Amino acid sequence: MVYRSLIRPLLFRFDSESIHHSTLSLSKWISSTPLWRAVDFFLKREDSRLAQTLFGVHFKNPVGLAAGFDKDALAVPLLAALGFGCIEIGSVTAVAQPGNPKPRIFRFPEDGALINRMGFPSAGAEAVLEHLKRYQKGDIRCTLGINIGKSKITPIEKAPDDYISSFAKLRTFGDYFAVNVSSPNTPGLRQLQEKGPLRELLARLQEANETEKPLLLKIAPDLEFSALDDVIEVAEQSRIAAIIATNTTFSRERLTATTNEVGGMSGSPLYARSLQVVEYLSAHAPKNLPIVAVGGISSAVHALAYFSRGAQLVQLYTGLIMEGPFVVSALLRDLLNVCDRFSLPHICDLRGNKELCDEASRFLGSSATESL
Ligand SMILES: Cc1cc2nc3c(=O)[nH]c(=O)nc-3n(C[C@H](O)[C@H](O)[C@H](O)COP(=O)(O)O)c2cc1C
């Protein structure tokens, strides 16, 4: 409440990226002092009903920070201390690059949306490795995912070498790696979602994956259902550990603001489409291929809607900007209240159970289907 009524209006007076940099610098500083431990102490909600192990990786709760917020792994301890069960850093590119010219992030608070055309600004895999090496054992109190993307200077035919170069440098640090072929702001990148190029990319990555790190695949919300069938087929053949659905969208559907800004849209207007994609994937993918849902989540009601459609884990980014740093802790509190109210031994008991999720959403104050 305080964030929405006082802090957000103040922060939103300034350019999005300047605020992002200031917040990240402050978070980086806090991460280098014992202060982050105090945040962890006050915000942590550890409870065995929220924990699960998927593809051999332990998640202390099902809510992760989506890629793009801490691209260079500058402030992982503090971000983890906000309560996230997983922090996905990146996208990291093999070659350091500045990304697109600024301004490149635009806010639409009335719609709970962002449009960005960052174009993968990245310190590069080498520098990110150095940042990760700085953390002591125990500084990162959750799962660490590393999201890798293609460097702009690398031609699309050489994409596998580029991804492998980042993966090889960072492999000892990530609990899992997300292969990002779905950002809308790198020319040609989304072509890698097509059957042939995707199969080649994932086969080459798995060849280089001697220690069998879980490789996750992050896809776009703009794929047709037939293209999702191809993704499922290739993911299965390529021993992909899970699918992350979805990245930002080209569409401007459900955005009420008028804008000509080019880029990927995230936040509330993306929610309905990402839900459809997650529902389709859960219905058509093999049961042993988990789905990580992302798109427009800012409350437990949204998370419940994704669980009801079969997601095992959820992630958020725009919700953190719109609702502030306590969003995760509030979301987890609500999920635990649902477990208490419905005597659920584990949060997984909600998976695929629309009736129970709708009832739980009503208990939390609004129905999951109404929020569509
Ligand atoms: C400013 C910004 C930068 C992003 N950068 C990345 C990125 O580098 N790699 C990636 O895979 N996704 C990136 N994303 C997409 C998010 O990880 C997420 O998939 C998308 O925003 C939908 O979730 P949300 O509605 O909770 O924000 C970015 C999103 C935003 C808003």
Side-chain angles (χ1 to χ4, degrees):
M1 273 317 253
V2 179
Y3 178 81
R4 256 187 168 243
S5 53
L6 288 174
I7 301 173
R8 192 175 95 171
L10 193 72
L11 294 179
F12 280 18
R13 282 177 182 215
F14 299 93
D15 162 69
S16 314
E17 202 162 337
S18 318
I19 291 297
H20 187 78
H21 276 291
S22 311
T23 315
L24 211 53
S25 300
L26 180 66
S27 305
K28 182 182 171 189
W29 176 74
I30 296 175
S31 294
S32 68
T33 72
L35 269 176
W36 69 265
R37 290 174 200 272
V39 177
D40 180 66
F41 179 79
F42 286 111
L43 293 184
K44 89 164 146 228
R45 293 192 190 277
E46 276 176 28
D47 191 302
S48 60
R49 290 171 297 176
L50 297 178
Q52 57 188 317
T53 298
L54 289 164
F55 42 85
V57 176
H58 179 76
F59 291 83
K60 68 177 180 179
N61 69 58
V63 185
L65 177 63
F69 190 89
D70 191 359
K71 288 175 183 285
D72 297 330
L74 295 173
V76 187
L78 180 70
L79 292 170
L82 296 179
F84 287 109
C86 173
I87 304 290
E88 191 172 303
I89 61 156
S91 294
V92 182
T93 54
V95 182
Q97 57 182 38
N100 289 326
K102 298 174 188 173
R104 51 191 183 178
I105 314 181
F106 308 90
R107 310 181 189 102
F108 302 91
E110 274 73 39
D111 289 297
L114 294 175
I115 290 178
N116 91 81
R117 50 169 179 270
M118 300 292 282
F120 289 163
S122 173
E126 200 76 58
V128 172
L129 176 67
E130 293 310 312
H131 299 165
L132 288 170
K133 280 184 184 164
R134 280 207 298 255
Y135 299 127
Q136 306 291 317
K137 198 168 185 292
D139 277 0
I140 301 177
R141 298 203 170 159
C142 71
T143 302
L144 182 72
I146 302 183
N147 179 307
I148 49 179
K150 187 188 77 68
S151 314
K152 193 174 178 185
I153 54 158
T154 303
I156 207 78
E157 322 78 71
K158 295 257 182 276
D161 297 329
D162 193 81
Y163 282 86
I164 289 169
S165 161
S166 300
F167 174 65
K169 286 194 179 104
L170 297 167
R171 94 176 108 205
T172 47
F173 282 91
D175 294 310
Y176 73 79
F177 282 79
V179 183
N180 180 9
V181 285
S182 49
S183 283
N185 305 308
T186 296
L189 189 82
R190 286 184 169 202
Q191 285 167 28
L192 293 174
Q193 292 176 121
E194 288 164 19
K195 220 171 174 176
L198 186 62
R199 191 177 280 135
E200 194 203 331
L201 171 64
L202 297 179
R204 294 276 315 279
L205 269 165
Q206 289 293 23
E207 253 169 53
N209 187 9
E210 295 123 8
T211 53
E212 297 195 7
K213 284 277 174 185
L215 296 186
L216 282 64
L217 178 67
K218 184 162 180 179
I219 62 165
D222 305 315
L223 295 174
E224 304 280 336
F225 288 147
S226 58
L228 291 178
D229 291 334
D230 291 347
V231 164
I232 292 169
E233 189 188 316
V234 177
E236 220 187 332
Q237 291 164 350
S238 317
R239 291 173 287 114
I240 284 299
I243 297 182
I244 307 177
T246 67
N247 213 311
T248 55
T249 177
F250 279 129
S251 161
R252 295 294 179 260
E253 213 182 321
R254 295 184 173 84
L255 185 76
T256 63
T258 312
T259 177
N260 292 323
E261 294 301 348
V262 172
M265 182 177 69
S266 58
S268 304
L270 171 62
Y271 174 61
R273 176 60 192 162
S274 296
L275 264 184
Q276 277 178 349
V277 172
V278 166
E279 186 164 26
Y280 187 88
L281 291 173
S282 320
H284 294 84
K287 294 296 158 238
N288 61 355
L289 183 62
I291 312 294
V292 183
V294 49
I297 298 174
S298 60
S299 75
V301 170
H302 301 131
L304 286 169
Y306 279 113
F307 293 147
S308 78
R309 279 138 177 107
Q312 272 91 346
L313 299 170
V314 295
Q315 296 182 333
L316 59 89
Y317 180 148
T318 307
L320 182 63
I321 309 293
M322 295 295 157
E323 304 301 328
F326 301 119
V327 67
V328 200
S329 161
L331 201 161
L332 295 174
R333 176 204 60 210
D334 286 348
L335 290 181
L336 286 171
N337 284 341
V338 165
C339 289
D340 287 342
R341 167 69 181 76
F342 296 91
S343 308
L344 300 177
H346 197 273
I347 195 76
C348 284
D349 298 323
L350 290 162
R351 242 192 94 224
N353 190 336
K354 273 195 185 158
E355 229 169 89
L356 183 57
C357 286
D358 280 353
E359 211 181 316
S361 296
R362 281 194 289 278
F363 161 68
L364 290 177
S366 69
S367 148
T369 34
E370 270 169 28
S371 62
L372 284 176

